[in-house]
Amino acid sequence: MLNLYELEQLATFARCGTLSRTAEELHISQPTLTRTMQHLEEAFGVPLFVHGKNRLALNDTGRKAVDCANALLSEAERAVLQVRQFDARLRTILVESCAPAPLWSLLPALSELFPDRTISSRLTELPLILGRVRDRTCEIGILPYPVADEAVACLPFVREELSVCLPPDHALAGCPSVTLEQLNGYNCLLKSDIGFWSDLCREKMPASRFLVQTAEFEFRELARTSTLPYFVTNLALEEDFVKGRTVVPVSDREANVTFHMIFRKEAEEYRKVARRVASDRI
């Protein structure tokens, strides 16, 4: 029976070239290594080495055995990695969302209800999320609309409404509400990593230019010191952040969405999470 550790010794011998160097690298004695080479020949049932005076070298069959050993070692490494990843998945709840705001209430609720599991999240392109839930790439998906799919459950759980923060003397500051079409042509501040909202703004405001900020501090400083419009959400409307600005609701249907949580129907334990968050948000 072949032994993975013995195969590793064979592969290391092929790389090092001598028994002494191989023994030194593997931190074993040279007699132990010699016995391993003898046992490998017995296991394969064919000669693998050319035996010279104080020297051992691979023959052609031995070099073939090394190729097979390397393939088996790589496959064993992949098997270990796959098993560990599978075990990690069993202990992890991965949420893929089209926008960041729904995660603010969902992730704490998941942590509270599933304290023995790791909660992980990432923003994902909108068209991919349903498929990732269906093929079990992630456990939970967040979409800005409901879906009808026989494999997944779909529950509304949080509503997000956009507004724009304008300087008091802005031409649109006196409006009770504005559309993205009305904002089209005005340059705006925009955060990075806002999911599908970024695509929506660029689609509806093609004549506008966006100053995109990746760091929260820089975004807040520009919001405080510049006259550029920027967007805020009802889910994180801070009084200090909008101080000195006029907050005008954006009336577009696409800018006022109810997020839906989707998960595979057999994962009924996630239904209580959606209900808990929804009780406070919708």
Side-chain angles (χ1 to χ4, degrees):
M1 178 69 68
L2 293 174
N3 178 293
L4 286 177
Y5 182 53
E6 291 182 341
L7 291 177
E8 182 182 1
Q9 293 177 53
L10 177 63
T12 305
F13 172 72
R15 178 164 48 80
C16 292
T18 67
L19 289 173
S20 60
R21 290 177 183 172
T22 304
E24 182 179 354
E25 178 163 326
L26 294 175
H27 304 290
I28 59 176
S29 68
Q30 192 166 323
T32 298
L33 184 59
T34 300
R35 287 193 295 271
T36 294
M37 299 300 113
Q38 293 171 346
H39 182 262
L40 284 169
E41 282 192 316
E42 294 172 1
F44 280 105
V46 293
L48 303 178
F49 306 97
V50 176
H51 298 265
K53 186 177 181 180
N54 298 322
R55 188 173 184 275
L56 191 69
L58 290 163
N59 61 21
D60 289 343
T61 304
R63 283 187 283 273
K64 178 63 176 178
V66 170
D67 291 340
C68 294
N70 283 325
L72 286 171
L73 290 168
S74 295
E75 187 60 34
E77 187 176 342
R78 281 194 295 271
V80 170
L81 179 61
Q82 288 175 3
V83 169
R84 288 176 177 173
Q85 289 175 336
F86 178 79
D87 182 69
R89 284 290 306 277
L90 293 178
R91 303 170 188 273
T92 301
I93 300 174
L94 174 59
V95 183
E96 297 201 17
S97 179
C98 63
L103 299 173
W104 301 339
S105 55
L106 177 60
L107 299 185
L110 284 169
S111 295
E112 183 179 347
L113 289 170
F114 301 96
D116 58 333
R117 299 178 71 178
T118 299
I119 311 301
S120 178
S121 67
R122 63 187 177 208
L123 295 182
T124 300
E125 293 182 14
L126 191 54
L128 302 178
I129 294 175
L130 177 58
R132 291 187 185 276
V133 173
R134 293 180 66 184
D135 66 15
R136 296 182 172 84
T137 300
C138 67
E139 283 65 50
I140 296 173
I142 306 299
L143 296 171
Y145 45 70
V147 294
D149 188 285
E150 62 181 14
V152 304
C154 178
L155 298 174
F157 79 103
V158 65
R159 183 166 177 80
E160 185 170 21
E161 299 169 351
L162 286 192
S163 297
V164 62
C165 285
L166 302 170
D169 58 353
H170 193 280
L172 299 175
C175 299
S177 65
V178 295
T179 64
L180 294 175
E181 183 179 0
Q182 287 176 284
L183 292 169
N184 186 30
Y186 291 105
N187 297 333
C188 296
L189 282 175
L190 203 64
K191 289 185 179 181
S192 63
D193 298 326
I194 57 174
F196 84 105
W197 291 120
S198 179
D199 293 334
L200 177 66
C201 290
R202 296 178 190 280
E203 176 189 345
K204 297 290 186 177
M205 301 168 61
S208 297
R209 300 178 69 179
F210 298 98
L211 184 59
V212 180
Q213 298 299 302
T214 58
E216 181 70 16
F217 176 78
E218 281 80 357
F219 181 87
R220 286 178 174 269
E221 280 298 293
L222 285 170
R224 182 177 63 84
T225 59
S226 77
T227 59
L228 291 171
Y230 56 89
F231 295 98
V232 293
T233 167
N234 63 306
L235 297 179
L237 193 57
E238 303 173 31
E239 185 175 343
D240 288 345
F241 189 50
V242 299
K243 187 176 181 180
R245 294 272 182 154
T246 300
V247 180
V248 182
V250 178
S251 60
D252 300 64
R253 177 181 55 83
E254 302 95 330
N256 298 275
V257 300
T258 297
F259 288 103
H260 289 71
M261 176 175 147
I262 63 172
F263 50 89
R264 292 191 60 83
K265 286 183 176 177
E266 63 266 25
E268 277 296 304
E269 65 269 27
Y270 299 137
R271 189 176 295 274
K272 59 185 176 183
V273 181
R275 288 174 176 165
R276 171 172 294 194
V277 177
S279 64
D280 297 326
R281 296 291 182 175
I282 297 182

